[in-house]
Amino acid sequence: MNPWKGLGQLPRPVWIVFAATLVNRAGTMVLPFLVLYLTRARGFTAAQAGFVVASYGVGALIIGPLGGRLCDRIGAINVLEASLLSSGLVVMLLPLARGYAAILGIVLLWSLCGEASRPASLTVITELAPPAQRKTAVALVRLAVNLGMSIGPAAGGFLSMVSFPALFVVDGATSIAAGGLLAASRWKKRSSMIAAAEAVQPDTALPARGSPLTDRRLVYFLFAMVPVVMVFFQNQAAMPLHLVQHLHMPPVAFGLMFTLNTVMVILIEVPLNTATAHWGHRKSLSLGAFLVGAGYGGMIFAGGYVGVALTVVLWTFGEMIFLPTATTYIAEIAPPARRGQYMGLFTMAFSVAFTIGPMLGATVMERFGPTILWAGAFGFGCLGAAMMSRLYVKR
């Protein structure tokens, strides 16, 4: 059986979202080079540049739940279009800003506009795809993200050597192009989304009104998810530090491991999730959480390139199983009319894990050493797996 075969059965609007995501992500080049731009082209200190990047993270934390609520009010596809178009325009303003305060304000506004696309995209894709195809559809959009991110930052590196302001123009133009692609699409957005939502039998035990945080199953899942995602984000700080400082590898080694992760996601994630679409959420989430923990925990025993590569393979399989299933689970437990709010809290939990995880990992490594850190990562993964095994599921 060909596991790619199921892609042909996905609704056409899913492919339109895939194309828009690919266009947008292929132009993602400002954020990865923002610190370099601020320090080299604008003369700010590293601390000042770091604070600007932190302001982007603050915006992401704020807009997650607000963007989700807006999706339920005016439609997720409308929020997604507005996010892409507005963020494209705002990022083009950055090279025109002269003072530090102006740059800080524009970056915060850029974050509020751009990060609204995260809950909107997840809401759109889970509403457009039938329940049996949601994991495949989510994996397909993640494929677009990874394909685009394999292009954007690399192209940005070359472009930055020619002209830093050109980064902002290209990044903004691709965001606007992606928003324009969605706006020009001919599917009946609102009616299609409502029809897909009504096709899902809602769980009547879930609250139809009030805060989603009164749904104990949602709260339990978010608490179970955060330690797993914190471990996953060790690739942002602790892992490269460990490779360079403790294993005495050149910085390019981390780049090779990052490429291994990306290639695996591009080639394997969609067929993997198509083939395992029949798995229950408990099984998928528990296994994914365990593999993430085991992958990073295995860094204790990795002493060379092969050993490190094996750990990357482990946690990448965990990522490919855990993340699409997590999105699908949120879509399943959310009342259809409030799916945006649930996705907003879901993306906010990711932002929390991204804010805490790398900082905590680097601190533990510095104070207690890598063995304690990677043992703790394995423990967090096992904790997440144990909690996921007791997750509420309808089937």
Side-chain angles (χ1 to χ4, degrees), residues 252-263:
V252 71
F254 175 70
L256 292 173
M257 299 306 162
F258 190 83
T259 300
L260 173 62
N261 166 260
T262 303
V263 170

Side-chain angles (χ1 to χ4, degrees), residues 277-366:
H278 63 285
W279 285 11
H281 294 321
R282 284 178 180 169
K283 177 180 179 179
S284 296
L285 291 168
S286 297
L287 177 61
F290 175 77
L291 289 176
V292 169
Y296 282 101
M299 291 291 291
I300 295 175
F301 309 103
Y305 284 90
V306 174
V308 173
L310 289 175
T311 68
V312 172
V313 169
L314 268 181
W315 62 255
T316 299
F317 268 105
E319 171 194 0
M320 293 187 294
I321 295 170
F322 186 88
L323 295 183
T325 308
T327 304
T328 304
Y329 177 76
I330 291 292
E332 181 175 293
I333 68 170
R338 307 185 65 200
R339 189 168 288 133
Q341 294 180 58
Y342 276 63
M343 289 299 178
L345 291 170
F346 177 60
T347 58
M348 186 183 74
F350 261 85
S351 297
V352 169
F354 181 78
T355 301
I356 298 174
M359 177 181 64
L360 180 62
T363 301
V364 170
M365 176 175 286
E366 182 180 11

Side-chain angles (χ1 to χ4, degrees), residues 3-243:
W4 291 90
K5 188 176 181 180
L7 291 180
Q9 301 172 1
L10 289 173
R12 180 174 175 270
V14 171
W15 287 99
I16 296 175
V17 176
F18 168 85
T21 303
L22 179 59
V23 170
N24 179 44
R25 293 294 180 167
T28 299
M29 51 185 66
V30 170
L31 193 58
F33 292 92
L34 186 57
V35 169
L36 289 178
Y37 168 73
L38 294 174
T39 53
R40 293 186 179 181
R42 303 307 296 271
F44 294 118
T45 65
Q48 288 175 316
F51 191 75
V52 171
V53 175
S55 72
Y56 188 95
V58 170
L61 282 171
I62 294 172
I63 200 59
L66 294 179
R69 184 177 292 274
L70 198 59
C71 289
D72 294 331
R73 293 264 181 116
I74 66 173
I77 188 65
N78 296 319
V79 174
L80 182 56
E81 289 175 6
S83 171
L84 292 170
L85 294 171
S86 61
S87 63
L89 292 172
V90 171
V91 75
M92 289 183 177
L93 296 176
L94 260 175
L96 305 178
R98 295 303 173 210
Y100 182 72
I103 291 175
L104 199 62
I106 291 176
V107 168
L108 179 59
L109 178 61
W110 175 39
S111 175
L112 292 173
C113 292
E115 292 299 310
S117 68
R118 294 187 184 273
S121 176
L122 294 177
T123 304
V124 167
I125 207 69
T126 54
E127 286 181 342
L128 290 173
Q133 295 179 314
R134 279 195 183 131
K135 285 175 68 174
T136 301
V138 172
L140 182 67
V141 173
R142 277 178 42 82
L143 171 62
V145 171
N146 281 277
L147 280 173
M149 291 301 290
S150 68
I151 298 171
F158 290 105
L159 198 57
S160 66
M161 294 188 294
V162 179
S163 169
F164 263 121
L167 294 176
F168 299 88
V169 174
V170 174
D171 197 318
T174 51
S175 293
I176 293 171
L181 176 61
L182 290 178
S185 60
R186 295 182 178 180
W187 92 78
K188 295 180 180 179
K189 302 165 189 170
R190 190 74 180 173
S191 60
S192 296
M193 290 164 62
I194 292 173
E198 289 177 347
V200 182
Q201 294 297 321
D203 186 339
T204 56
L206 295 175
R209 297 181 180 179
S211 170
L213 294 177
T214 60
D215 181 354
R216 286 181 292 180
R217 283 156 289 196
L218 171 65
V219 174
Y220 179 87
F221 173 76
L222 295 180
F223 271 105
M225 181 190 77
V226 165
V228 180
V229 181
M230 286 175 59
V231 173
F232 170 70
F233 279 134
Q234 293 311 306
N235 58 18
Q236 299 295 313
M239 181 181 170
L241 286 175
H242 178 66
L243 297 187

